[in-house]
Amino acid sequence: MSEIWTPLMVGLNIETMLPLVAGVVALLYAGYLAMSVIREDEGTDEMKRIAKAIREGGNAYLNRQYKTVAIFAAVIAVVLVLAINWQTAFGFAVGATLSAFCGYVGMKMTTAGNVRTANKAKQGLQAALSLAFKGGAVSGFTIVGLALLGLTSFYILFGDANLLVGFGFGACLISLFARVGGGIYTKAADVGADLVGKVEAGIPEDDPRNPAVIADNVGDAVGDCAGMGADLFETYVVTALAAMLLASSPAVLAKFGASGIALPLVIGAMAIFATVIGTFFVRLGKEGKIMNALYKGLAATIVVSAVAFYIVTYYFMGGDLGVYVCSIVGLVVMVCMVVITDYFTSYSHKPVLFVSEASKTGAGTNLIAGLGMGMRSTFLPVIVIVAGILASYFIAGGASSPELGVYGIAIAAAAMLSTTGMIVSIDAYGPITDNAGGIAEMANLPKEVRDVTDPLDAVGNTTKAVTKGYAIGSAALAALSLFAAYKDEIVKRVGSVVLSIEDPFVLAGLLLGAAIPFLFASMLMTAVGRAAFQIVEEVRRQFREIKGIMEGTAKPDYGRAVDIVTKAALKELAAPALIAILSPLLVGFLLNERALGGMLMGVILSGVLLALLMTTGGAMWDNAKKYIELGNFGGKKSPAHAAAVVGDTVGDPFKDTAGPAINPLIKVMNTISILFIALILMYSLL
């Protein structure tokens, strides 16, 4: 890690101006989309009242969460100043702030777009789809705009990619808190509402008689949107950062110079322009299929990006076709991950139908089928990731220079993440439509409105799963790049490092690292269970003590449920974060850098597989339930539906709490290892 600051060493040139301009364009376009959403009518007074309650609940939770996290972050910033340097601490603070802001924007657009989408549904499917997508796109463009501006500004200011690691670490840490806290909140409310409302009381999912229904809708905003916003910001930042770190290695610098360091930023810039174009392709066709409309926007973004990547590699990388093909490999990996996740989570395909049919014989067979198909869903993504790693490695010249090969992998990952703006737009549309359906139910809007919001919501389950699969797949490529950067840091200081499984320290670290995601996921699953138990007891109490709820003559105490789940989520924040931060430091200082290297390999291997199982399997259970609710296998009042609700109850914390939180866990452990490797090596020499 550089100790001498050379201000403005990079300076302004075309390679740094392009990302700055693209970042500004992204933020301006996000502002335009936000205004176009806010201008729409919120509907009836009852719709406004419900939306206000959801909005206030979301604001209250995020404000309390960020106050809690701010204390934690301040302590870490002081440690970074004392242990490393002020530039790293400054970058950490800015990265954490921007990541939190991205989460805040996601929450605000969900709570602004939900009621307007419900009202727009009165005009038909295309009108509601367009508005919900615009609301999601605000989050997408905010994330890529701030990430690109932040990375580029720090690179210009410090002139050293190594000093950007603090920025990435700040983004990772806030993402971890957002995923953990938001995930516990949303799934505790959801599980509690479903178990008592659907299973025991036999009332619909978003029935206003359910005391947990407002908390459930708040959860969509703070978990699915705020958590996702912080998560994808971190993923985008860390992926680009890993490529920039590897471009600083001697072999890559000798071949490409400073252009190799700036290329990930330029790729991100061109993808922003492509994403703006792609948004105009999101329209329903004659067949009226919602997913096809969203995928048309993604396809247009990919095609335009592929052309733009050729232009920038031709001009900035001396026409090196190897680097360009690596960027195309990244786009292909992204497409494959989307297709595979769609196959395993959409009720248009066999896996979800298989789980739905298994529900006819009870909850046990539903759970067996869901777990079995969830395990199977990990294999094809791994094949795609392995193919992408090997292809980009050898195309970039890995056979003759391992440093160039690993840089090729990093460029593939950067290209894969460059389309984050469109992927997030498609994802964030889901919580908006989910909330819109809830508001339509609670406000007793006509059946025609639910006939529009229900299919939008069902597609949203698949798009959210696709985004998680996309983030996890990119995490594998980015983590490999970060691991290579970790090794490079050791080589710079001690000359060489060998990480062999025959080394007992490496093997010990490998086993510890492989166990960490399981311990981490276990803590989150049990946290959801504890919080859900409190909600179940509260909903039962209100049904029992507040006379007239079921008849509709008395209103539940929604605020009590919101307060319970808020306190429960915040209470559970610290322990998972401490695991991510302290485990690599303890292994590094108590054992050595080789054991820490083994730990990083272990957490990547088991973390990617476990995250894929949980996110894809959970979405499979959710859509299996929704397929039955469409009238299949007996419909909503059938034994099959009751069994599917149990499966969905297990799948909820799988797909929205533990699974996606493993993604920032992997990145936090890698970035903190890079930050502290110099101190670990110094300590080992004492």
Side-chain angles (χ1 to χ4, degrees):
M1 194 70 64
S2 294
E3 300 296 334
I4 300 174
W5 180 40
T6 307
L8 300 178
M9 186 175 74
V10 175
L12 289 174
N13 52 48
I14 187 64
E15 293 173 351
T16 52
M17 282 296 294
L18 260 178
L20 291 176
V21 171
V24 172
V25 168
L27 294 180
L28 289 175
Y29 193 53
Y32 162 75
L33 292 172
M35 292 303 299
S36 66
V37 170
I38 292 170
R39 280 198 300 264
E40 297 291 340
D41 185 23
E42 292 185 82
T44 66
D45 288 342
E46 180 64 10
M47 293 169 68
K48 293 176 183 177
R49 184 189 67 79
I50 295 167
K52 182 181 178 183
I54 296 171
R55 186 164 54 248
E56 289 176 349
N59 286 333
Y61 173 74
L62 272 195
N63 289 340
R64 288 170 68 173
Q65 176 179 272
Y66 286 160
K67 286 178 182 176
T68 303
V69 173
I71 298 170
F72 205 88
V75 172
I76 293 176
V78 172
V79 171
L80 292 176
V81 170
L82 298 175
I84 303 176
N85 53 46
W86 71 265
Q87 297 98 317
T88 299
F90 179 52
F92 168 81
V94 175
T97 301
L98 293 183
S99 182
F101 182 74
C102 287
Y104 186 77
V105 169
M107 185 275 293
K108 294 297 286 186
M109 287 314 302
T110 299
T111 55
N114 54 12
V115 65
R116 292 169 172 85
T117 299
N119 190 57
K120 204 71 172 176
K122 298 173 184 177
Q123 300 177 23
L125 191 60
Q126 175 59 52
L129 169 65
S130 177
L131 186 61
F133 177 76
K134 286 179 181 177
V138 174
S139 294
F141 281 99
T142 300
I143 288 168
V144 294
L146 289 178
L148 208 53
L149 282 173
L151 279 170
T152 307
S153 299
F154 271 93
Y155 180 51
I156 293 171
L157 182 63
F158 293 146
D160 184 351
N162 289 289
L163 291 174
L164 274 67
V165 178
F167 183 80
F169 178 50
C172 290
L173 188 66
I174 296 302
S175 168
L176 184 65
F177 278 118
R179 275 300 192 191
V180 168
I184 293 171
Y185 186 113
T186 183
K187 291 306 106 179
D190 196 0
V191 169
D194 281 358
L195 285 178
V196 185
K198 283 185 177 181
V199 177
E200 295 182 10
I203 58 179
E205 181 171 353
D206 293 304
D207 195 298
R209 293 172 291 180
N210 192 327
V213 71
I214 294 294
D216 188 8
N217 281 275
V218 171
D220 292 333
V222 302
D224 292 334
C225 263
M228 178 276 304
D231 188 358
L232 266 295
F233 175 84
E234 164 263 316
T235 302
Y236 188 100
V237 165
V238 170
T239 303
L241 172 61
M244 295 173 74
L245 289 172
L246 292 171
S248 304
S249 64
V252 182
L253 276 176
K255 184 171 184 179
F256 299 117
S259 295
I261 301 175
L263 181 63
L265 303 176
V266 176
I267 283 176
M270 301 311 290
I272 284 177
F273 299 130
T275 305
V276 172
I277 295 171
T279 58
F280 293 98
F281 287 81
V282 179
R283 293 194 61 82
L284 287 172
K286 293 181 180 179
E287 75 285 353
K289 291 186 177 180
I290 301 166
M291 189 62 85
N292 287 356
L294 297 171
Y295 282 164
K296 281 190 287 188
L298 179 59
T301 301
I302 292 169
V303 170
V304 176
S305 294
V307 174
F309 292 169
Y310 177 78
I311 295 171
V312 296
T313 52
Y314 179 82
Y315 281 104
F316 297 138
M317 306 296 284
D320 189 286
L321 280 179
V323 174
Y324 171 68
V325 175
C326 287
S327 70
I328 299 302
V329 168
L331 294 178
V332 171
V333 169
M334 184 266 289
V335 170
C336 291
M337 293 296 292
V338 168
V339 171
I340 292 168
T341 309
D342 180 274
Y343 173 75
F344 278 101
T345 59
S346 170
Y347 54 57
S348 301
H349 304 296
K350 288 183 180 179
V352 170
L353 300 181
F354 176 73
V355 178
S356 294
E357 188 170 11
S359 305
K360 293 193 298 182
T361 50
T365 47
N366 169 281
L367 294 174
I368 292 169
L371 280 172
M373 295 306 297
M375 291 175 183
R376 185 178 301 181
S377 71
T378 65
F379 188 71
L380 285 178
V382 168
I383 294 295
V384 169
I385 292 168
V386 167
I389 288 171
L390 294 177
S392 53
Y393 181 83
F394 287 106
I395 289 169
S400 58
S401 171
E403 288 181 340
L404 287 174
V406 176
Y407 177 68
I409 296 171
I411 290 300
M416 182 179 178
L417 262 296
S418 68
T419 57
T420 292
M422 178 56 71
I423 293 290
V424 172
S425 301
I426 293 172
D427 175 282
Y429 135 98
I432 292 173
T433 56
D434 192 351
N435 259 212
I439 290 171
E441 179 80 33
M442 286 185 280
N444 295 312
L445 296 185
K447 180 179 179 296
E448 293 76 19
V449 174
R450 285 308 301 251
D451 289 342
V452 171
T453 59
D454 282 351
L456 288 171
D457 179 22
V459 168
N461 282 327
T462 299
T463 63
K464 287 185 285 186
V466 163
T467 302
K468 289 161 189 162
Y470 162 83
I472 294 162
S474 67
L477 297 179
L480 178 61
S481 302
L482 286 171
F483 177 71
Y486 168 80
K487 284 187 64 179
D488 281 352
E489 287 295 318
I490 298 176
V491 171
K492 288 176 186 176
R493 288 168 171 79
V494 299
S496 65
V497 61
V498 177
L499 299 176
S500 169
I501 199 170
E502 295 177 351
D503 183 337
F505 284 104
V506 174
L507 181 59
L510 188 66
L511 291 172
L512 287 170
I516 288 292
F518 289 89
L519 174 63
F520 181 81
S522 168
M523 295 178 71
L524 297 188
M525 292 289 289
T526 54
V528 170
R530 284 192 294 269
F533 175 80
Q534 295 180 54
I535 291 296
V536 166
E537 289 297 301
E538 175 61 21
V539 174
R540 285 174 176 167
R541 183 194 67 79
Q542 292 198 33
F543 279 155
R544 184 174 62 251
E545 297 179 6
I546 302 177
K547 306 302 180 184
I549 285 184
M550 295 305 293
E551 294 78 18
T553 58
K555 288 196 173 185
D557 184 356
Y558 300 123
R560 174 65 180 158
V562 169
D563 187 60
I564 287 172
V565 78
T566 297
K567 290 178 179 176
L570 293 174
K571 182 181 176 183
E572 304 284 356
L573 277 178
L578 289 174
I579 286 178
I581 294 169
L582 295 181
S583 57
L585 295 179
L586 288 173
V587 168
F589 284 110
L590 296 179
L591 298 178
N592 56 37
E593 75 284 356
R594 303 194 309 282
L596 179 53
M599 169 174 265
L600 298 182
M601 289 190 286
V603 76
I604 293 168
L605 291 174
S606 75
V608 168
L609 291 171
L610 185 60
L612 286 170
L613 162 64
M614 300 186 94
T615 55
T616 308
M620 206 181 302
W621 269 313
D622 195 344
N623 271 347
K625 177 199 68 175
K626 281 190 164 48
Y627 182 73
I628 294 173
E629 289 176 346
L630 292 175
N632 301 290
F633 304 125
K636 292 184 178 180
K637 300 294 183 180
S638 66
H641 181 251
V645 169
V646 174
D648 181 38
T649 300
V650 176
D652 274 340
F654 262 47
K655 68 181 175 66
D656 289 327
T657 308
I662 292 172
N663 182 25
L665 168 74
I666 295 171
K667 257 73 78 58
V668 166
M669 291 180 66
N670 275 271
T671 52
I672 200 168
S673 298
I674 294 172
L675 282 174
F676 282 88
I677 186 58
L679 288 177
I680 290 170
L681 290 171
M682 287 174 59
Y683 179 80
S684 66
L685 294 174
L686 295 178

